[in-house]
Amino acid sequence: MGNYIIALDQGTTSSRALLFNERCEACGVAQQPFEQHFPHPGWVEHDPSDILATEQAVLVKLMHDKGLSRTNVAAIGITNQRETTIVWNRVTGEPVCNAIVWQCRRTASLVDHICSTDSIRRRITKTTGLIPDAYFSASKIRWILDNIDGAREAADAGDLLFGTVDSWLIWNLTAGAVHATDVTNASRTMLYDIHHGCWDPWLCDLFDIPRSMLPDVRPSSGSFGTVTSPSIAAGIPLCGVAGDQQAALFGQCCTKAGQAKNTYGTGCFMLMHTGAAAVESHNGLVTTIAASAPGTSHFEYALEGSIFMGGALIQWLRDEMGLLSSAAESERVALSVPDTAGVYVVPAFTGLGAPYWDPEARGAIYGLTRGTTRAHIVRASLEALAYQVADLMRGMQDDSGIALDGLSVDGGACSNDFLMQFQSDILAESLYRPSNTETTAAGAAYLAGLCCGFWNSADAIKDRRKMERRFDPHMSDKERIRHLDGWHECIERTRSHVVQK
Ligand code: ADP
C-alpha cells in the first residue's frame, strides 16, 4: 500500500489536491482557480469541463511535484461544493449545459410554484431534512429539463445522467464506469429520503425527474471505483466522498452526538453531530446526513446552520468603513480596549438568520456615546460573530436536546485569538483549533484512508491529529449572562416589526 492519501477538494472558486501522510499531516497542495459565469443577475454557472480539467490538472501537478507514482498513493478521496448540478449525456459524456451553482437563484420562483402548499413543504422537510429552496439540486435539474433543447426527451429515453460535482468527477475519473454519489451529497439534493436512504419516488414525481438520471448512492467511506485517467493516477482506488461541510465535520473528528464544528469564513457554517437521531428543527436549521466511518450500521446525522455575515463583517469594516487595514489587525485593535463600552453591532445586513428568521431586519450599531472609538466598534463586531454562533448553537441544542460537547473551529477568522477566547467564554465551552485547519480536505482523506485500511479506525486518526490550541472559558456566569442579555436586547430592537412601529 502507498504511503499517502490524496484529497481532491473541488470548491466553488478553485480546484485543489492535497496530500496527507500517515501522521494525518497535510504535506502538499496544488491549486487552480477557474472561471465563474454570471449570465444574468442572480445566476451563477460553472463550465463542467473547467471543473474536471482543473481538478485533473491539480492532481497531476501534486503527484508530479512530489515525485509520486500510483504505487505511493493508497487511495483518493473527494470533497466538493455541494448542491451544484450537472446533467450530461451518458453516451457522449457531454454536459447538456453549464453546471448550475448552489448560489444560483434562477429557480427561486420555480420552487415557490412547485412547493406551493404548506403540506407539500412540510412533507419535503420531513423526508429530506431541508427547507425547500432554490439552493438544493432538485429544482436545478428540473430547470435544465424544462429549458435546454432536447433535454426532456433525452432524459425520458434514459440518455441523461444527473450528478453533483462529486458524481461528475467520479464518472469522468473512472471513464464512465461509475455513476454514484455518497449519502452526504445525496442529502443535499432535496430528492433523497434521509430516513430510509433512498431516492424518494414522491419527490422525483413532484419535480418531474426521471429516476434513471439519478446516481447510485453509497456510504461516504466506500468504494467508488478506480481511477483510469489521468494516467499518472490510473489504478488508485476512489474510496471516500463527502460534501464539503460534512467532510469538514468528519475532518474535525466530530463523530459523536454533541460534537460540533464551526467554519469562520466569509460566512460561518456550523454543524453539530446528532448521532443516530435525525433531529427535526424548529429553529430554521436543516437536518443532514453526516459522513460515517466504515462499518457504521445506521445513518448518522447532523444539524446544520449558517451565518451570512461572518468574516464578511470584518471585510466590511476594512473595505467600506476603512476602520482596519487588514482583517488580522482586528485582533490588536479589539484588544486595545478592555471592553466594548456598551457597544453592540448587529450585522443583520441581509436580515436575521436562524434562529430568528427575519429577512426584513437590517443591521444596526447600538450604545454609541461621545466616547465610542473605532476600537469599540471593531471589538463589538468580533463579539457579534461569537454571539451569532452562540445563538445558532442554542438553536441546535434546543432542537436536539443534546448538550454541546466542545466546538472545533476552522476557516480564516479562527486564527483570531481574541475572537476564539470570547467565543469560548460566551458558549461556556472549550474550543479546539487544530494545527491543520484544512479540515474539509482532511475529512475526504480520512474517509478514503479508513476505507482502504490506511488508518485502522477513527480513533487512530484522532490520536494522530495535532491540536494547535485549546481555548477554555474564563468568563463568570454573571458576566456571560450580562453580555448575552445585552445582545438579545439589541436583537429585539433590530427585528423588523420593532422598526416598523
Ligand atoms: P472563505 O473560504 O469563505 O473565502 P476564509 O476561510 O478564507 O473564507 O476566511 C476569510 C474571512 O475571514 C474573511 O472574511 C476575513 O475577513 C476573515 N478573517 C481572516 N483573518 C481574520 C482575522 N485574523 N480576524 C478576523 N477575521 C479574519
Side-chain angles (χ1 to χ4, degrees):
M1 186 185 299
N3 336 76
Y4 297 99
I5 301 284
I6 289 178
L8 302 181
D9 180 0
Q10 207 303 306
T12 307
T13 57
S14 74
S15 292
R16 308 196 311 152
L18 288 96
L19 192 66
F20 288 84
N21 62 23
E22 197 268 340
R23 293 188 299 280
C24 296
E25 293 159 340
C27 52
V29 60
Q31 176 162 1
Q32 206 172 304
F34 59 88
E35 203 178 337
Q36 310 287 310
H37 300 273
F38 308 105
H40 299 286
W43 291 33
V44 189
E45 296 182 354
H46 293 157
D47 182 338
S49 58
D50 283 351
I51 290 178
L52 178 63
T54 52
E55 202 50 81
Q56 287 186 320
V58 291
L59 172 59
V60 170
K61 182 167 190 319
L62 178 71
M63 291 186 69
H64 193 263
D65 287 356
K66 293 287 172 181
L68 301 175
S69 72
R70 67 117 6 262
T71 53
N72 304 120
V73 183
I76 291 178
I78 296 176
T79 180
N80 56 288
Q81 50 167 322
R82 301 177 303 173
E83 299 108 12
T84 296
T85 297
I86 304 175
V87 173
W88 67 97
N89 184 296
R90 74 159 84 229
V91 181
T92 65
E94 286 298 316
V96 301
C97 59
N98 272 348
I100 304 183
V101 176
W102 58 275
Q103 298 151 322
C104 187
R105 300 306 301 170
R106 81 181 64 176
T107 57
S109 57
L110 180 61
V111 171
D112 288 345
H113 176 70
I114 294 175
C115 310
S116 54
T117 67
D118 279 350
S119 81
I120 291 177
R121 298 177 70 83
R122 263 201 308 276
R123 183 160 173 185
I124 291 178
T125 300
K126 278 245 172 295
T127 306
T128 66
L130 305 172
I131 300 165
D133 195 273
Y135 204 69
F136 307 110
S137 313
S139 66
K140 299 180 193 294
I141 306 174
R142 168 67 177 270
W143 188 94
I144 291 172
L145 296 180
D146 285 353
N147 290 277
I148 300 301
D149 266 355
R152 170 64 67 186
E153 296 72 27
D156 286 342
D159 289 341
L160 295 190
L161 300 178
F162 151 75
T164 39
V165 166
D166 55 312
S167 296
W168 169 244
L169 292 175
I170 294 163
W171 196 83
N172 280 286
L173 293 172
T174 62
V178 179
H179 180 225
T181 189
D182 86 300
V183 289
T184 67
N185 277 294
S187 76
R188 309 293 296 188
T189 58
M190 216 163 79
L191 295 171
Y192 194 68
D193 179 337
I194 63 167
H195 308 282
H196 299 102
C198 57
W199 297 115
D200 185 72
W202 178 78
L203 280 166
C204 292
D205 289 347
L206 182 71
F207 284 92
D208 202 6
I209 293 168
R211 260 152 280 175
S212 58
M213 294 180 74
L214 302 177
D216 185 30
V217 184
R218 304 185 181 179
S220 303
S221 188
S223 176
F224 290 84
T226 302
V227 175
T228 55
S229 75
S231 56
I232 189 172
I236 303 176
L238 280 171
C239 53
V241 176
D244 52 12
Q245 296 309 317
Q246 286 98 330
L249 188 70
F250 198 80
Q252 287 276 22
C253 295
C254 297
T255 53
K256 296 195 172 64
Q259 295 178 335
K261 74 94 194 170
N262 187 46
T263 302
Y264 297 82
T266 310
C268 293
F269 288 94
M270 185 148 76
L271 272 80
M272 182 168 94
H273 205 285
T274 58
V279 173
E280 198 180 328
S281 176
H282 303 287
N283 286 295
L285 306 168
V286 301
T287 314
T288 197
I289 299 182
S292 299
T296 312
S297 57
H298 51 77
F299 282 152
E300 296 179 315
Y301 298 91
L303 277 171
E304 173 170 341
S306 56
I307 294 165
F308 303 124
M309 294 299 286
L313 178 61
I314 310 306
Q315 282 171 21
W316 177 77
L317 293 180
R318 182 192 63 196
D319 301 339
E320 308 306 327
M321 295 294 103
L323 296 185
L324 296 167
S325 56
S326 69
E329 194 198 358
S330 62
E331 180 168 355
R332 189 183 56 72
V333 174
L335 286 167
S336 71
V337 286
D339 53 41
T340 69
V343 174
Y344 284 93
V345 174
V346 180
F349 288 63
T350 53
L352 289 166
Y356 305 108
W357 286 115
D358 185 348
E360 305 306 323
R362 288 297 172 266
I365 302 179
Y366 295 97
L368 297 176
T369 67
R370 188 64 187 79
T372 302
T373 66
R374 82 167 171 132
H376 294 125
I377 292 176
V378 168
R379 186 172 175 124
S381 299
L382 288 171
E383 292 189 1
L385 256 68
Y387 288 129
Q388 293 181 95
V389 169
D391 282 346
L392 214 50
M393 186 53 78
R394 190 165 43 85
M396 290 183 175
Q397 297 191 61
D398 177 53
D399 284 333
S400 65
I402 298 170
L404 176 64
D405 179 12
L407 181 67
S408 299
V409 300
D410 51 53
C414 88
S415 62
N416 189 312
D417 289 350
F418 166 76
L419 171 60
M420 294 300 105
Q421 184 57 51
F422 188 77
Q423 184 74 80
S424 170
D425 286 339
I426 257 346
L427 287 172
E429 263 298 328
S430 296
L431 250 62
Y432 302 95
R433 186 167 67 192
S435 304
N436 165 27
T437 52
E438 294 282 4
T439 55
T440 304
Y446 298 166
L447 289 164
L450 284 169
C451 181
C452 71
F454 186 77
W455 293 293
N456 291 329
S457 66
D459 284 342
I461 291 175
K462 212 167 196 164
D463 292 345
R464 284 171 174 75
R465 238 174 121 242
K466 293 198 187 71
M467 216 38 75
E468 187 261 327
R469 187 162 164 192
R470 170 179 167 158
F471 295 84
D472 290 314
H474 298 313
M475 195 180 268
S476 69
D477 286 348
K478 194 167 155 229
E479 269 296 279
R480 185 171 49 255
I481 290 164
R482 189 178 64 77
H483 275 88
L484 284 167
D485 283 351
W487 166 255
H488 290 131
E489 190 188 321
C490 293
I491 290 281
E492 273 313 307
R493 288 200 244 163
T494 308
R495 284 182 187 254
S496 53
H497 65 270
V498 175
V499 174
Q500 281 160 11
K501 268 183 195 160

